[in-house]
Amino acid sequence: SSDLLFLVDEALQLLANSIETNEAASHFHHTRGTALLLLNRPTEAAASFELALQFRPNNPGILESLVKCYTGRDEKQAAAYQKRLDAALKETPPRVP
């Protein structure tokens, strides 16, 4: 996980110097948050997920990750993100296998 974190940080640095889209950066922030969560660093993970959410505000995966970050640490925040997740899931069409 720490190797993944290093690679994602490198990619974000390179992305900052390019003309890539904000959505691409959002994907890298989501991956960074996932690595931090696996390293049991939920506060830092939440910050990365919140950056990812700026460009994909209704993304169920990001919202679910934020619920995980805040559950057991800040139940008010966890509940707020759970509410957003529930709304996003109602809006998102089901995936076709």
Side-chain angles (χ1 to χ4, degrees):
S1 296
S2 60
D3 289 341
L4 174 61
L5 181 59
F6 174 78
L7 291 173
V8 172
D9 284 342
E10 289 288 313
L12 281 167
Q13 189 172 21
L14 290 171
L15 193 60
N17 297 324
S18 74
I19 57 170
E20 292 292 326
T21 66
N22 291 331
E23 187 172 341
S26 175
H27 288 280
F28 280 106
H29 284 294
H30 188 189
T31 302
R32 184 176 194 277
T34 301
L36 287 163
L37 199 53
L38 290 171
L39 291 168
N40 199 26
R41 293 163 56 181
T43 302
E44 293 170 89
S48 287
F49 291 133
E50 287 166 354
L51 285 170
L53 201 60
Q54 289 179 4
F55 302 107
R56 295 183 294 153
N58 297 319
N59 181 278
I62 299 169
L63 292 166
E64 183 178 3
S65 296
L66 280 161
V67 170
K68 288 178 187 175
C69 285
Y70 286 109
T71 297
R73 294 182 329 108
D74 184 339
E75 293 305 322
K76 186 176 178 180
Q77 276 292 82
Y81 282 119
Q82 184 63 55
K83 185 176 179 179
R84 285 179 65 181
L85 173 60
D86 293 342
L89 290 173
K90 287 180 184 176
E91 295 173 7
T92 305
R95 290 186 175 184
V96 178

